[in-house]
Amino acid sequence: MQTKLDQQLYKAYLEKLKREKRFVLIWQLILLISFFGIWEVASRFYWIDPLLFSSPSSITTLLISRFSEGTILTHMQATLLETILGFIIGTVLGIIFASVLWASTRFSKIMDPYIVILNAMPKVALGPILIVALGPGYISIIAMGAIISVIITTLVVYSAFKEVDPNYEKVLKSFGATRWQCFKEAIFPATMPVMISTLKVNVGLSWVGVIVGEFLVSQKGLGYLIVYGFQVFDFTLVMASLILIAIFAAIMYKVVEKLEGWLMKHTIDGQ
Amino acid sequence: MSFLTLSNVSHHYFTKTGFTKALSNISFSIAEGEFISILGPSGCGKSTILSIIAGIMKQTKGEVLLHNKPMDRSKTQIGYMLQQDYLFPWKTIIENVLIGPNIQATATKETKEKATSLLHEVGLSNIADAYPASLSGGMRQRVALVRTLITNPKILLLDEPFSALDYQTKLKLEDLVFQLLQTYHKTALLVTHDIGEAIAMSDRILVMDANPGVIAKVFDVPVELRNEMPFMVRRHPKYQLIFDKVWQELNKHEGAMSKS
């Protein structure tokens, strides 16, 4: 009797959760459909200039034809590869720099003003210099993707290193641990959550770096397509590239989020 | 026969705006197997003494001698237990326990067996592969105790290891630690705020005064109490007598502090 009522209440609770979820999903779909619907209608009736703002139908036609020709695939490939590499290099280098700073307090004191300047400086402004130094190719673009996230990663991870509870080090030192052993056993693993959360930030930053890099120089990539479309006044191409970027950036973000969940689970509490 | 000796140890903390003398000419010695407690107002440098003996801090003056020789920091002779367990949450219990041997590169198969049997001894069987998060405070502090004992230290430094626990767990753990130290014939130095705990566990009590930290008075715990388990000491008729004496001594210093 009692249990039956409990079961009923539980079922009602689950039902409520499900309803809520459905409600949210429906509204998300309504927003999506009405956005593209209104865009399409506005374009057809010349409420907005179709030459400038294109329309979902012409973007779809363009994408279908480009995909079937296969021409857009190389562009997508280039951008994705550059972004992923920029992201990885930026994050890894940032963590390495942070470790070097931690290794020598004196070195970090010496470097302090330079890091402040590098951090405050808008990294994309370095674009032309990178291109001159590394050549007008994908290496410069990867460097742009990396440089935009490396300084902030260094700062965030370094300050996280310093915030690790000193008592962990005390425990290790009482066993006679060296500084390196303290780093390996306590400082680095204790900072894992911070490092993992920088991943999510960095993936977004790397997109910025790569797209700007492609704006400046390149014969390939989605950023290149945007600039090219702009120059030849083909805004359908610009919009199509934007949509692809949005989709890929979202996918990458989601993948990193999943990775973050996995890493958190397997490195932090280890459950 | 002195085992560990501190001779005229002083310590200063320096800041840009000045310095504080945390310890001033601290001298005392501990015999092997002896249990000493340090009581005193906060800020009297109790924990600093432990850090200096552990080699985590270097005293600004004076000497720390083991067997009349300066301590050899390369070998572990010290086990350090802190207020909280500071188990590494990303390591399993057995990995946590073996961290000392791993750091000293002395871990062998026997060490692991010893760890398992020590864990068993403190009443923690079958949790070797669990993570600290799934253990209660008392269990975690017992793991920390095993981690400290596994390297077979000559001296145990206990920095208020029971203060973060609830009263019942604390009493139980006091008995456990006392028993283990007796079985393995360890020398120990306990820093605490709890007069009862100091009397219950130790052979001798050093009462300290602050600003600068000095040893104000030394109490010998009556012989009848020394070998009793901590829980039983608290019920002994002589317990209250020494408690009152220590209480008065401590009050004197705290009174002096509030006047100044």
Side-chain angles (χ1 to χ4, degrees):
Chain A
M1 171 75 183
Q2 182 71 33
T3 49
K4 205 170 169 194
L5 182 66
D6 292 341
Q7 284 294 334
Q8 267 172 354
L9 283 172
Y10 179 57
K11 224 182 245 167
Y13 170 75
L14 286 183
E15 194 61 36
K16 201 177 137 204
L17 279 187
K18 222 172 170 182
R19 261 206 313 269
E20 176 68 19
K21 207 172 159 189
R22 210 182 299 139
F23 181 82
V24 169
L25 186 71
I26 286 170
W27 271 101
Q28 285 170 337
L29 285 173
I30 289 173
L31 271 178
L32 184 79
I33 292 165
S34 49
F35 174 76
F36 284 105
I38 291 168
W39 186 2
E40 182 69 39
V41 171
S43 176
R44 291 260 166 114
F45 289 91
Y46 288 91
W47 298 339
I48 54 173
D49 189 344
L51 206 58
L52 295 181
F53 297 103
S54 189
S55 69
S57 58
S58 39
I59 292 170
T60 316
T61 328
L62 179 98
L63 281 175
I64 289 170
S65 78
R66 289 287 176 115
F67 267 107
S68 57
E69 287 166 26
T71 47
I72 205 154
L73 290 174
T74 48
H75 293 293
M76 277 167 25
Q77 229 172 20
T79 303
L80 275 180
L81 194 73
E82 287 158 357
T83 310
I84 292 171
L85 280 176
F87 161 66
I88 292 172
I89 293 170
T91 310
V92 170
L93 274 183
I95 292 172
I96 292 174
F97 288 162
S99 311
V100 171
L101 288 178
W102 185 85
S104 163
T105 319
R106 190 177 276 165
F107 180 66
S108 83
K109 270 189 221 153
I110 295 171
M111 291 310 287
D112 185 59
Y114 303 107
I115 292 173
V116 169
I117 291 169
L118 281 176
N119 183 45
M121 171 151 176
K123 260 68 69 180
V124 289
L126 295 171
I129 296 168
L130 280 179
I131 290 159
V132 174
L134 300 172
Y138 62 96
I139 293 183
S140 300
I141 298 169
I142 293 170
M144 284 284 278
I147 206 168
I148 205 163
S149 57
V150 69
I151 304 294
I152 190 71
T153 308
T154 306
L155 284 173
V156 170
V157 173
Y158 176 58
S159 75
F161 281 164
K162 286 197 296 188
E163 272 161 29
V164 174
D165 193 324
N167 284 310
Y168 283 117
E169 260 187 276
K170 208 170 178 181
V171 167
L172 293 174
K173 277 185 187 158
S174 77
F175 293 120
T178 59
R179 199 162 160 80
W180 164 242
Q181 281 175 323
C182 287
F183 184 74
K184 196 175 62 149
E185 298 290 343
I187 306 293
F188 193 82
T191 316
M192 271 309 257
V194 176
M195 289 191 262
I196 292 166
S197 68
T198 62
L199 293 180
K200 239 161 46 182
V201 180
N202 288 354
V203 82
L205 287 175
S206 293
W207 274 101
V208 176
V210 165
I211 296 300
V212 170
E214 287 181 348
F215 280 2
L216 290 175
V217 55
S218 79
Q219 294 80 42
K220 260 196 288 188
L222 296 171
Y224 161 76
L225 284 185
I226 290 176
V227 171
Y228 176 77
F230 172 66
Q231 283 164 348
V232 301
F233 228 76
D234 181 358
F235 279 91
T236 305
L237 182 61
V238 173
M239 292 294 185
S241 309
L242 269 179
I243 286 175
L244 286 179
I245 289 172
I247 291 171
F248 283 123
I251 291 173
M252 228 187 230
Y253 185 84
K254 276 288 166 194
V255 169
V256 170
E257 202 176 50
K258 281 263 182 272
L259 180 77
E260 176 181 330
W262 188 88
L263 281 173
M264 285 283 189
K265 221 175 154 188
H266 286 81
T267 56
I268 310 309
D269 47 272
Q271 306 285 328
Chain B
M1 168 71 208
S2 69
F3 176 63
L4 177 81
T5 308
L6 270 75
S7 120
N8 284 316
V9 170
S10 297
H11 191 76
H12 301 73
Y13 286 108
F14 299 104
T15 61
K16 262 184 201 165
T17 48
F19 66 90
T20 40
K21 195 167 188 183
L23 295 174
S24 170
N25 292 321
I26 299 286
S27 300
F28 66 89
S29 41
I30 311 178
E32 190 151 17
E34 198 179 11
F35 195 120
I36 288 191
S37 290
I38 303 178
L39 277 172
S42 37
C44 70
K46 302 187 293 270
S47 296
T48 310
I49 294 183
L50 294 195
S51 289
I52 286 172
I53 296 175
I56 291 167
M57 266 181 215
K58 180 97 184 81
Q59 68 273 23
T60 42
K61 219 188 102 213
E63 276 184 307
V64 180
L65 304 168
L66 190 72
H67 289 306
N68 297 320
K69 277 178 285 193
M71 273 177 105
D72 181 5
R73 303 286 181 203
S74 60
K75 281 182 279 170
T76 309
Q77 304 168 324
I78 300 292
Y80 205 154
M81 247 180 112
L82 301 166
Q83 231 171 76
Q84 273 155 45
D85 50 81
Y86 292 106
L87 297 179
F88 295 91
W90 54 87
K91 288 181 188 285
T92 61
I93 296 307
I94 191 79
E95 285 168 345
N96 264 295
V97 167
L98 290 174
I99 193 147
N102 279 330
I103 280 185
Q104 293 154 11
T106 54
T108 56
K109 217 170 144 232
E110 288 84 68
T111 335
K112 202 171 171 188
E113 278 160 17
K114 190 178 160 198
T116 316
S117 79
L118 267 173
L119 280 172
H120 181 75
E121 204 169 335
V122 299
L124 297 172
S125 311
N126 305 322
I127 53 127
D129 296 317
Y131 285 87
S134 59
L135 270 58
S136 72
M139 288 163 94
R140 293 167 63 115
Q141 198 57 291
R142 276 183 277 165
V143 175
L145 176 67
V146 173
R147 175 177 68 185
T148 313
L149 289 174
I150 191 85
T151 53
N152 201 17
K154 289 187 175 160
I155 302 160
L156 252 94
L157 305 174
L158 308 168
D159 194 353
E160 303 188 44
F162 311 117
S163 61
L165 302 170
D166 61 87
Y167 195 64
Q168 231 181 322
T169 313
K170 170 187 159 124
L171 290 183
K172 283 186 199 159
L173 220 56
E174 279 177 16
D175 276 11
L176 178 73
V177 170
F178 184 80
Q179 203 182 357
L180 277 173
L181 294 183
Q182 278 211 327
T183 325
Y184 293 101
H185 197 64
K186 296 282 178 215
T187 311
L189 195 57
L190 170 76
V191 159
T192 179
H193 278 294
D194 182 338
I195 302 175
E197 182 174 290
I199 296 168
M201 296 197 74
S202 43
D203 305 321
R204 220 160 14 122
I205 299 170
L206 310 180
V207 174
M208 289 187 68
D209 194 6
N211 300 318
V214 289
I215 296 177
K217 198 158 183 181
V218 180
F219 290 94
D220 284 314
V221 175
V223 190
E224 302 93 305
L225 300 182
R226 288 188 198 169
N227 290 322
E228 288 278 359
M229 292 289 273
F231 191 81
M232 300 312 287
V233 172
R234 290 179 210 258
R235 304 171 159 195
H236 200 281
K238 289 215 168 167
Y239 169 82
Q240 200 57 46
L241 269 154
I242 179 149
F243 188 98
D244 290 340
K245 274 196 243 164
V246 177
W247 171 265
Q248 274 165 15
E249 180 68 27
L250 271 171
N251 257 347
K252 217 159 74 190
H253 302 301
E254 268 162 30
M257 266 188 31
S258 56
K259 258 179 256 161
S260 64

